[in-house]
Amino acid sequence: MRLDAIFRNGRFTTLDPDRPTAHSLGVLSERIVALDDELAGCTADLVVDLGGANAVPGFNDAHHHLSLVGKGLRELDLSYAATPSLDALYAAVAERAATLPEDAWILGAGYDQNKIGAHPTAEALDRAARGRPVWLVHTSHHMGVANTEAFRRAGFDDLAAVPDPSGGHVERDASGRAEGLLQETAMQLVERALRPEPVAEWTANIATGAQAALAVGLTSVTEPGIGVTDGIGNGPADLDAYMRVRERGELGVRMTVMPYITALHDCGAFEPGGDWYGLDLGLRTGFGDEWLRIGPTKLMSDGSLIGRSAAMCCDYHDAPGNSGLLQHEPERIRRYIVEAHRCGWQVATHAIGDAALDIVLDAYEEAQRLHPRADVRHRIEHAAVTSTEQVARIAALGLVPVPQGRFLSETGDGLLAALGPDRSRLAYRMRSFLDAGIVLPGSSDAPVVAPDPLLSIHDMVNRRTASGRPIAPHEAVTAEEALRAYTVGSAHAVHEEHIKGTLTRGKLADFAVLSDDPLAVASASIGEVTVVATVVGGRIAHDTGALRVS
């Protein structure tokens, strides 16, 4: 039999309990059709020698802002590694300003006030930018800082006239003038002047993000939010942008995209006595193919932990009087969830604080009671602070929590400061979810933190902050459980476990070739394992020179 490709001389960890390892696999029409001895007598157009390297099913990030990763790679890098102090941040803005036309925006992202000591201010950015508008997004992407010219471009010549929108916060000085920091929905006051970006810019962001994903072994990604200018996404034609990138052969990674909830609307009757709530033409979760499909609808309920804006049951440990905020009133959250559920959507609700989580769980329970559906798998994005009772409710309702392992190291010290020693025991639970019988996915929330799955797997196992402090160590999982989360679990989170997650006959030939075996190295060394090649559908999509092709 003639195949498209044969990959041989590898050490494949298949995650298939019936056949846990293999040394060769054959591919036809993007699918695995044979393993090991089943390849006897087969030839192929492409034969690839792995040289004895380890390989695992392609990593699948259940919550990864691919377009924003690409955007960040093309704009000013304000990460702690690039700008380790507030002065360094201002210097980077000044340096970028010197390279741009006088009327050009200076755009950047990735700063963390927990690490550099404070947020930038409009006044200081004015000096650095020399008249140019500046918009700098926090690493959480739940807040940003604008300078005076950016406010003016957004229609606010008077900083005292900047309004406080519902679900957001504007930081002000003693006289009531905006200081620059905008949190949650207040970010839209400036971002509405920037969105939608030109098609050429947004498609370049997607293509750049896809290449970055392939370089770290990601073969599938779920993008949590597209389609609007008043929430997450670039604009109403975001799906078209992904289609353009795919048509140019530049997508490379399999995409599930989540339309943001405000893109859904009342569309009129779809049958006598029944109205449709969703996207036009009845488009909903599941539409598309193995390369680009519509997944859940995304809904934001609250803010971020390191920004102290997630809605909590009690005050933040280091900010007495502040228990965070909701982005929408509880009744609106309830209506969004119930209506989307009624019309066939899987719903993915961002809920970081435990107060927000209670509201979301109540809404999911009501939706299912009013309109019963089987195996819906509604999701809780982040589920960052979760009580034991809430873990039990998540399990009973058949929900999918989506916590982020890499948050534990990159933002862990800020999380410990925000939560304090007692409540930090409830942070980013993983062992508790598994013990409750919940299928755990793997995710990064990149570009909030690094997108590398192996770094996230390292943190899921080791659970230490950047300074080395343990963070809820009782919630650690094993290396195999973490790997399974980043493959089988993430496929389950979007109803794709029948085609992804394990290296099994009939499933997609997506895998990552590694420098070592993450299941065999010491747990403290998992983060040192690297991706040397990525294969998607039997095609080599990324190779550092590790593969020998004949």
Side-chain angles (χ1 to χ4, degrees), residues 387-461:
S387 70
T388 299
E389 293 75 17
Q390 289 172 327
V391 170
R393 285 192 74 189
I394 289 171
L397 291 170
L399 306 178
V400 179
V402 189
Q404 287 68 46
R406 192 60 184 169
F407 279 14
L408 299 168
S409 62
E410 290 198 34
T411 69
D413 289 305
L415 298 179
L416 289 176
L419 293 175
D422 293 332
R423 284 177 56 73
S424 65
R425 291 179 56 82
L426 307 178
Y428 292 98
R429 304 182 81 159
M430 295 174 188
R431 168 58 53 203
S432 293
F433 289 139
L434 289 178
D435 289 349
I438 296 166
V439 178
L440 179 70
S443 73
S444 66
D445 199 15
V448 176
V449 296
D452 310 44
L454 287 160
L455 295 180
S456 188
I457 288 170
H458 174 96
D459 288 339
M460 294 169 75
V461 174

Side-chain angles (χ1 to χ4, degrees), residues 70 81 93 136 213 229 284 419 476:
V93 170
L136 307 180
T229 58
R284 60 169 175 81
L419 293 175

Side-chain angles (χ1 to χ4, degrees), residues 87-330:
D87 286 341
L89 181 149
Y90 291 136
V93 170
E95 183 178 347
R96 176 58 64 93
T99 69
L100 296 175
E102 291 185 0
D103 63 343
W105 281 81
I106 300 171
L107 303 174
Y111 85 89
D112 185 351
Q113 89 287 0
N114 294 287
K115 297 179 180 179
I116 63 175
H119 292 282
T121 65
E123 183 179 357
L125 290 174
D126 290 344
R127 292 192 295 269
R130 299 183 178 181
R132 297 168 181 81
V134 182
W135 176 238
L136 307 180
V137 177
H138 187 264
T139 187
S140 67
H141 283 253
H142 281 261
M143 61 188 85
V145 177
N147 73 337
T148 303
E149 178 61 15
F151 278 116
R152 190 188 71 76
R153 297 278 186 101
F156 304 109
D157 294 323
D158 180 3
L159 295 185
V162 178
D164 283 296
S166 174
H169 174 72
V170 178
E171 193 72 13
R172 302 181 186 278
D173 63 18
S175 67
R177 300 174 76 251
E179 289 189 329
L181 178 64
L182 303 175
Q183 293 182 294
E184 306 302 340
T185 60
M187 296 173 69
Q188 297 167 22
L189 299 174
V190 169
E191 289 188 332
R192 66 189 182 190
L194 294 166
R195 296 181 186 172
E197 292 186 22
V199 171
E201 288 295 312
W202 203 249
T203 54
N205 292 343
I206 294 169
T208 301
Q211 285 303 307
L214 292 168
V216 294
L218 287 166
T219 59
S220 292
V221 163
T222 295
E223 170 102 35
I226 67 166
V228 299
T229 58
D230 64 342
I232 304 176
N234 179 54
D238 281 350
L239 186 60
D240 171 77
Y242 275 96
M243 293 175 66
R244 290 175 188 237
V245 176
R246 176 184 175 180
E247 289 161 357
R248 296 201 300 251
E250 296 177 347
L251 191 55
V253 63
R254 302 182 192 278
M255 293 299 307
T256 297
V257 295
M258 295 185 185
Y260 191 64
I261 192 70
T262 53
L264 278 57
H265 55 276
D266 293 312
C267 300
F270 75 97
E271 65 177 2
D275 292 333
W276 179 259
Y277 176 76
L279 299 179
D280 293 327
L281 302 178
L283 296 181
R284 60 169 175 81
T285 301
F287 180 81
D289 60 18
E290 293 159 1
W291 282 99
L292 180 60
R293 61 191 293 272
I294 296 175
T297 181
K298 171 72 178 295
L299 167 62
M300 300 287 293
S301 73
D302 68 343
S304 78
L305 268 182
I306 57 174
R308 282 53 168 188
S309 57
M312 309 292 282
C313 71
C314 49
D315 291 351
Y316 284 94
H317 181 73
D318 60 353
N322 175 26
S323 58
L325 53 85
L326 292 171
Q327 291 208 17
H328 304 285
E329 293 297 321

